[in-house]
Amino acid sequence: MLTVDFSRFPLAPGDRVLDLGCGAGRHAFECYRRGARVVALDRNGEEIREVAKWFAAMKEAGEAPEGATATAMEGDALALPFPDASFDVVIISEVMEHIPDDKGVLAEMVRVLKPGGRIAVTVPRYGPEKVCWALSDAYHEVEGGHIRIYRADELLGKMREAGLKPYGTHHAHGLHSPYWWLKCAFGVDNDKALPVRAYHKLLVWDIMKKPLATRVAEQALNPLIGKSFVAYATKPHLPEAAAR
């Protein structure tokens, strides 16, 4: 299940990509399949070891084109272990809402992104997220949980302050907001509640089968209750005089 729309966020074979806070690796895997040179970084060592296993399995199965590479590594988003201008593309999906120093993370991403490079940022959308917070304290009052809810203009403003030039936005996962509202209503750790189990089955079926009916429904729901807000931006080239 991808949050970044690669039709709006072009990726060329050979692009060097950083998936920052990669989690289970969903975007890193897609970039690898598209022929990129991928670095998947996360502070969670257990998840990184699992991502590394999947990279190896994908290589063995021939899922990645010739020339594509993939590395999984532990790291700190506030102190990235890469030189300036190391990457053509940076993706950070559903991460910034967890980090107190979000401006510091944006600064590090801009530092390692090449001039002319592209960045995709996704965060929980304000409206659906407010409903989750209202229904359940346990949803966000946990260690490592969500510490803020972004308004779209707030996130775009912080991206501009960091030196990025936003060029597009959209919402994603409209079918997923009701699932999380049910989870919050019945207990975020209660997976046995019938409405939660039934809706989860629907989502799994949708992800596996991609039927036309749910694809159309999600496209209609995304602008209204899409669970994620997605923003795309570029890092401008320095004016020639300033670059000297």
Side-chain angles (χ1 to χ4, degrees):
M1 184 186 74
L2 299 174
T3 307
V4 172
D5 181 350
F6 286 94
S7 69
R8 310 183 196 211
F9 189 65
L11 190 68
D15 275 351
R16 187 161 166 78
V17 177
L18 173 63
D19 185 1
L20 181 56
C22 65
R26 58 200 172 103
H27 289 106
F29 300 149
E30 180 65 19
C31 293
Y32 189 33
R33 290 187 187 99
R34 289 171 178 261
R37 295 173 293 158
V38 183
V39 176
L41 184 144
D42 201 285
R43 65 183 299 178
N44 186 318
E46 185 176 338
E47 285 197 311
I48 282 297
R49 287 187 288 275
E50 194 65 24
V51 169
K53 290 178 183 177
W54 278 104
F55 278 152
M58 290 172 67
K59 182 178 181 180
E60 185 175 343
E63 289 189 37
E66 186 176 350
T69 62
T71 303
M73 62 184 295
E74 289 185 60
D76 182 354
L78 289 164
L80 296 173
F82 311 112
D84 296 355
S86 297
F87 294 93
D88 302 291
V89 173
V90 177
I91 296 171
I92 184 165
S93 183
E94 312 298 304
V95 174
M96 286 181 57
E97 67 276 9
H98 296 272
I99 300 177
D101 186 8
D102 58 347
K103 289 185 178 181
V105 172
L106 277 168
E108 272 293 87
M109 290 190 289
V110 171
R111 180 184 68 78
V112 302
L113 187 64
K114 294 178 181 178
R118 303 172 304 285
I119 187 168
V121 180
T122 92
V123 297
R125 184 182 185 177
Y126 183 84
E129 186 76 347
K130 284 286 284 187
V131 174
C132 288
W133 282 45
L135 289 171
S136 171
D137 290 338
Y139 172 79
H140 62 96
E141 291 182 356
V142 295
E143 184 177 355
H146 299 186
I147 62 169
R148 71 174 65 80
I149 307 175
Y150 287 100
R151 291 187 181 275
D153 57 354
E154 176 193 2
L155 178 62
L156 293 171
K158 288 185 176 183
M159 292 171 71
R160 291 188 183 99
E161 287 175 13
L164 295 166
K165 185 178 180 181
Y167 69 83
T169 66
H170 65 91
H171 300 103
H173 310 316
L175 287 176
H176 287 248
S177 289
Y179 172 71
W180 282 102
W181 297 339
L182 288 170
K183 287 271 288 181
C184 290
F186 286 93
V188 290
D189 296 319
N190 179 13
D191 293 326
K192 295 182 179 179
L194 180 59
V196 174
R197 286 192 290 116
Y199 205 101
H200 184 262
K201 285 183 179 180
L202 169 67
L203 292 179
V204 171
W205 175 70
D206 172 57
I207 291 168
M208 299 300 294
K209 301 295 185 181
K210 296 181 174 62
L212 178 61
T214 53
R215 294 299 84 222
V216 171
E218 181 144 274
Q219 288 300 313
L221 289 172
N222 280 342
L224 303 173
I225 59 168
K227 183 75 170 68
S228 295
F229 173 71
V230 188
Y232 305 107
T234 58
K235 178 179 176 178
H237 288 277
L238 288 172
E240 188 174 342
R244 291 175 182 170

